[in-house]
Amino acid sequence: MPAHREPRRRSPPLPAPRGPLSGEVIDALRGGADPRAHAVGEADPLGDDVQLALYVLYELHYQGFADVDDEHEWNPALLALRRSLEAPFLAALRAGAPTDGGADTALAGLLVEPVGDDGRSVSHFLHDDGELWQLREYAALRSLYHLKEADPHAWVLPRLYGRAKAAMVAVEFDEFGAGREADIHARLYADLMADLSLETAYGHYLDLAPADVLATVNLMSLFGLHRSLRGALVGHFAAVEVTSSPGSRRLASALKRVGAGPAAQRFYDEHVEADAVHEQVVRRDVIGGLLADAPHLEPDIAFGIAATGFLEDRLAARLLAAWRGNSTALRGRLN
C-alpha cells in the first residue's frame, strides 16, 4: 500500500478574484484597504463572486492563506462584510430549500437518492459511464470539501451536551482517524488524489471550482460558525452520513473500473462501511439526543438537511450537464 500523503502546503495562495466583492476581500488580505459592503445587494448570492468572497473569508478560520496575517481572522471590516454576505446566502438557501419543519420527514427524504434528468445521480453516472478524466475532475472539485471534511462539524461540539455530544464526538473520532494520523479521512482523500495523479496540496483547486462547488463547502462553514444554526449543522451532518454509503460504493466501483489504484478505492470503501454505522448513531443519538434536549431546534435540523440537498442538486446538475456534453465541469484546465 502506498505511503499516506498528507495534504501539502497547509496555507494555500490566495485565489484570483471573480468580481468586485471577492476582489475587495483579496485586496484587503494582500494589504490593501478594508473592504466595503456597498455592492452586496446587487450580487447573486449563489454566484461566483459572493461564493468566492465567502469561501476566502471562511478560510481565515481554517488554514488561512500563504503570506496573509493570521490577525485578519478577526478583522472587524472583514467580519462585517462576511455578515452582509451571509444574510442573502442564508435567504437563498431558505427560499430554495423549504421544509415542513419535521426532522422525520426530512430524514425519510434522504432515502430517496437525488437524480438527474436521465434518472441517475452523479455517482450513478460515474459508476456506469464515467471516464478517468471525469473521475479526476470530480476528485479535484471535491477536494475542497474532503480535505476539510470533518473540521466544520467539530465546531458544533461545544454547543451540544449529553447524549448528542457523546455521539457526535464518537462519529467525529472516526472521521479523524480514531487516533491514528494515517487514517484521518482527509489523509485518505489525499491518497486518493495521488493515485489519480492530482495535486494533493490543500486548496490547490480553488481557482478551478465553480460557485456550485464553493457553496457546498461554505454551507458547512456558515452553519458551523453560528451557534444559532447548530441545529442546521446537525442536519447537514445527518444528510452527509445517511446518503454517503450507497454513493461511496458506486464511486469505489467506478474507480476500480477505470484502473485507479488501491488508495483511490480505499477512501470510498472506508465510507461504505463507516457511514453505514454512523447513519444509525446520527439518527438515534445525535438527532435524537439533541431533540430530547432542545425540541425547538427540529425545524433547523430539517432545514439543514434540505439546504444540503438543494446545493448538492445544483452541483449535480452542473456536473452532469457538462459531462453529458463531453465538456469539462471546471473553470479551467486540470493539471
Side-chain angles (χ1 to χ4, degrees):
M1 182 173 291
H4 286 274
R5 310 284 187 94
E6 185 170 9
R8 296 193 297 105
R9 197 170 60 225
R10 292 180 180 275
S11 296
L14 284 164
R18 303 185 191 178
L21 293 167
S22 55
E24 287 194 15
V25 170
I26 291 166
D27 182 64
L29 296 179
R30 287 180 173 145
D34 284 339
R36 298 167 292 169
H38 58 84
V40 172
E42 305 167 12
D44 177 2
L46 298 176
D48 275 300
D49 192 25
V50 169
Q51 289 302 314
L52 181 63
L54 274 173
Y55 186 98
V56 171
L57 290 167
Y58 286 142
E59 190 57 40
L60 298 176
H61 299 289
Y62 293 100
Q63 302 297 337
F65 293 96
D67 303 318
V68 171
D69 191 333
D70 288 342
E71 289 298 318
H72 279 300
E73 180 180 8
W74 300 110
N75 178 314
L78 293 174
L79 291 173
L81 177 57
R82 197 189 87 192
R83 182 75 171 176
S84 67
L85 293 168
E86 287 176 333
F89 181 35
L90 188 57
L93 293 172
R94 293 196 184 281
T99 73
D100 64 2
D104 285 343
T105 300
L107 286 167
L110 296 176
L111 301 178
V112 180
E113 294 190 80
V115 295
D117 294 338
D118 64 354
R120 295 188 295 173
S121 66
V122 170
S123 64
H124 280 103
F125 175 88
L126 292 174
H127 175 270
D128 297 340
D129 302 315
E131 299 179 25
L132 179 59
W133 68 270
Q134 292 163 330
L135 283 156
R136 293 183 76 240
E137 284 196 358
Y138 186 72
L141 292 175
R142 283 298 197 184
S143 69
L144 299 180
Y145 179 100
H146 285 303
L147 292 182
K148 62 157 56 84
E149 179 177 0
D151 294 345
H153 295 137
W155 275 319
V156 82
L157 295 176
R159 298 161 181 170
L160 301 176
Y161 49 90
R163 179 158 58 107
K165 185 170 197 166
M168 189 78 181
V169 168
V171 177
E172 284 282 273
F173 182 62
D174 285 347
E175 298 287 341
F176 287 116
R180 296 180 294 273
E181 181 184 6
D183 292 336
I184 293 173
H185 284 191
R187 290 283 297 273
L188 298 183
Y189 199 79
D191 291 345
L192 175 151
M193 296 175 73
D195 254 7
L196 293 173
S197 300
L198 294 170
E199 172 59 64
T200 63
Y202 178 92
H204 178 78
Y205 293 106
L206 176 55
D207 280 324
L208 296 184
D212 294 322
V213 173
L214 302 185
T216 65
V217 184
N218 288 338
L219 182 71
M220 295 191 294
S221 301
L222 171 67
F223 290 166
L225 285 167
H226 292 273
R227 184 177 185 277
S228 62
L229 293 171
R230 63 194 183 279
L233 186 64
V234 167
H236 177 279
F237 187 65
V240 171
E241 297 298 327
V242 171
T243 61
S244 172
S245 188
S248 293
R249 182 177 292 106
R250 286 188 288 271
L251 290 169
S253 178
L255 287 164
K256 182 177 182 179
R257 177 174 55 78
V258 300
Q265 298 170 47
R266 185 191 173 199
F267 175 82
Y268 287 112
D269 284 338
E270 175 76 13
H271 281 69
V272 170
E273 296 179 10
D275 290 346
V277 176
H278 293 170
E279 174 188 350
Q280 299 305 314
V281 176
V282 171
R283 284 174 175 272
R284 181 184 64 248
D285 295 321
V286 178
I287 291 180
L290 180 60
L291 289 179
D293 292 330
H296 66 284
L297 293 180
E298 183 170 7
D300 289 342
I301 294 172
F303 167 61
I305 294 171
T308 303
F310 169 63
L311 292 183
E312 289 293 335
D313 287 348
R314 285 174 56 90
L315 174 57
R318 179 186 178 92
L319 296 178
L320 293 172
W323 292 340
R324 287 171 186 149
N326 202 35
S327 62
T328 181
L330 308 178
R331 299 182 70 250
R333 185 174 180 178
L334 189 63
N335 64 344

